[in-house]
Amino acid sequence: MIERGLRERKKADTRAALADAALRLAAERGWEHVTVEAIAGAADVSYRTFFNHFSSKEEALLEPGGPDQPRLSTRLRAQPADREPLTALRTAIREDLAAASADPEQLRTRMTVFTSTPALLPRLLETIATDERDLALAVAERTGQDVDADLGPALVGAVVSAALRVSLMRWHAQGGATPLTDLADEALDTLVAGLPSAVPSH
Amino acid sequence: MIERGLRERKKADTRAALADAALRLAAERGWEHVTVEAIAGAADVSYRTFFNHFSSKEEALLEPGGPDQPRLSTRLRAQPADREPLTALRTAIREDLAAASADPEQLRTRMTVFTSTPALLPRLLETIATDERDLALAVAERTGQDVDADLGPALVGAVVSAALRVSLMRWHAQGGATPLTDLADEALDTLVAGLPSAVPSH
DNA sequence: CCGCTCGTTGCACACCGTGCAAGATTGCCC
DNA sequence: GGGCAATCTTGCACGGTGTGCAACGAGCGG
């Protein structure tokens, strides 16, 4: 958050302007009808400058805040070490979702753009799953397991990501009626109880 | 499997030749150093013909068999209706993995290509997760739940996909030492028992 | 004030993916 | 067998993405 000079501030500004323009134009015209040239033009920079900030057109939507935005795994590592592993994970997840829900309107717009562009939705899910391995590492650190030998941490990472994805999709489908954190809590409760609790036996 | 004529046979042949060439060249040079022109040349067809069979370069790797290859959800639907939901799911999963393991050498090559190309790995995972919603629908049909109202089916679909992904990654990392079906069984056992069984409490 | 650093810009280029139209091959019916 | 229709293949042109390179200019430090 420390401003180290006019230079870095302007750089962050143009990046934000590009990300905002990308999201706005995508909401207006649909993602595939938005060219990089249009995004750059709306942000008052050149075409070439766009790729000085983002390595691909999609990155402007997927990582508007840069690579140093807080991730789930870092939140988990910040939890007190004496806390029960699953409790610490729940808390970290709540913090992460609360941060994501800070600007519900923007989150809604993003979700609308993603869900209305078939080629783009998987990329969002991929982004959520990017920390999967990192999350597995953080879990293994906390439990003292070996992330390569023990199946547990990798499974927890993948499964938690999956649960968050489902919660996010459901939240958007409901129009935000239920708070995102509540939906995620329900999903995690189900997973803690085991798969049979998700489907009725006959 | 019915040959309806010389025409469709030749079409399937060229598609297979293109898919094979794509995988072979990717294993030799690395995926990003393989152009569509090179793939087409190796299969003795023109550049333009490639896109008559695949809508993108990646599709030649991801869906070599065409869009009508059997999916997990169809295998689940083929299970007897009186079988316990989770049992039916396990059986369908075993069939699916057995089919994928039919040619272990090719599977190994594919995984090597995917894991050595950062931009490609998520696409494989995405492909696995493509049936997620369809799988959720099949689960809901079997259990009589509502896929939009009940969280269960969507959660099961996402979580099972995640477990399969983790199993596949682990299988490849181990060099195929443990059969893929065994790894998946272990992961699913853990999920059935609930998340706490994945991580030790202190 | 002067040099250094770094963001910006333009230009050229390789590659992906698509629409269109012409040519070649197969299937089918007379 | 001959010819017609369907369809696969091919070439061509074009828009768009993403990159390397070199020049320019604005902030930063001495």
Side-chain angles (χ1 to χ4, degrees), chain A residues 98-121:
Chain A
S101 306
D103 188 345
E105 192 49 41
Q106 179 178 341
L107 182 59
R108 216 183 62 83
T109 306
R110 289 165 65 86
M111 285 300 295
T112 303
V113 169
F114 288 139
T115 52
S116 60
T117 308
L120 211 51
L121 185 55

Side-chain angles (χ1 to χ4, degrees), chain A residues 84 132 148 165 170 201, chain B residues 84 132 148 165 170 201:
Chain A
E84 201 67 33
E132 238 182 64
D148 288 319
R165 275 165 30 208
R170 190 159 296 258
S201 60
Chain B
E84 202 67 33
E132 237 182 64
D148 288 319
R165 275 165 31 209
R170 189 158 296 257
S201 59

Side-chain angles (χ1 to χ4, degrees), chain B residues 11 14-23 25 31 34-64:
Chain B
K11 181 171 182 177
T14 55
R15 182 180 177 107
L18 284 168
D20 286 350
L23 181 58
L25 291 177
W31 180 242
V34 178
T35 67
V36 173
E37 186 162 359
I39 299 174
D44 269 312
V45 292
S46 76
Y47 171 89
R48 193 63 186 79
T49 295
F50 178 91
F51 289 103
N52 288 347
H53 291 271
F54 305 100
S55 62
S56 80
K57 180 184 163 191
E58 295 172 352
E59 195 178 327
L61 279 187
L62 294 168
E63 294 202 24

Side-chain angles (χ1 to χ4, degrees), chain A residues 49-200:
Chain A
T49 296
F50 178 91
F51 288 103
N52 287 348
H53 292 272
F54 305 100
S55 61
S56 80
K57 181 184 163 191
E58 296 173 351
E59 195 177 328
L61 280 187
L62 295 169
E63 292 202 27
D68 49 349
Q69 57 191 5
R71 308 210 168 267
L72 181 54
S73 54
T74 62
R75 294 187 200 277
L76 176 58
R77 289 201 175 89
Q79 293 290 313
D82 61 342
R83 200 166 282 183
E84 201 67 33
L86 284 185
T87 309
L89 185 55
R90 291 285 281 254
T91 311
I93 290 173
R94 283 209 192 87
E95 290 177 7
D96 205 53
L97 292 184
S101 306
D103 188 345
E105 192 49 41
Q106 179 178 341
L107 182 59
R108 216 183 62 83
T109 306
R110 289 165 65 86
M111 285 300 295
T112 303
V113 169
F114 288 139
T115 52
S116 60
T117 308
L120 211 51
L121 185 55
R123 301 295 304 245
L124 172 65
L125 309 185
E126 166 198 338
T127 300
I128 295 178
T130 297
D131 325 89
E132 238 182 64
R133 169 151 184 92
D134 205 25
L135 182 58
L137 275 171
V139 170
E141 287 172 15
R142 183 166 287 265
T143 61
Q145 290 171 298
D146 181 343
V147 73
D148 288 319
D150 296 318
L151 189 62
L155 199 55
V156 169
V159 154
V160 164
S161 295
L164 294 184
R165 275 165 30 208
V166 169
S167 303
L168 186 57
M169 295 293 297
R170 190 159 296 258
W171 174 81
H172 181 252
Q174 289 184 355
T178 315
L180 183 52
T181 48
D182 290 2
L183 288 174
D185 270 336
E186 184 187 348
L188 291 172
D189 283 338
T190 306
L191 289 182
V192 167
L195 271 198
S197 68
V199 295

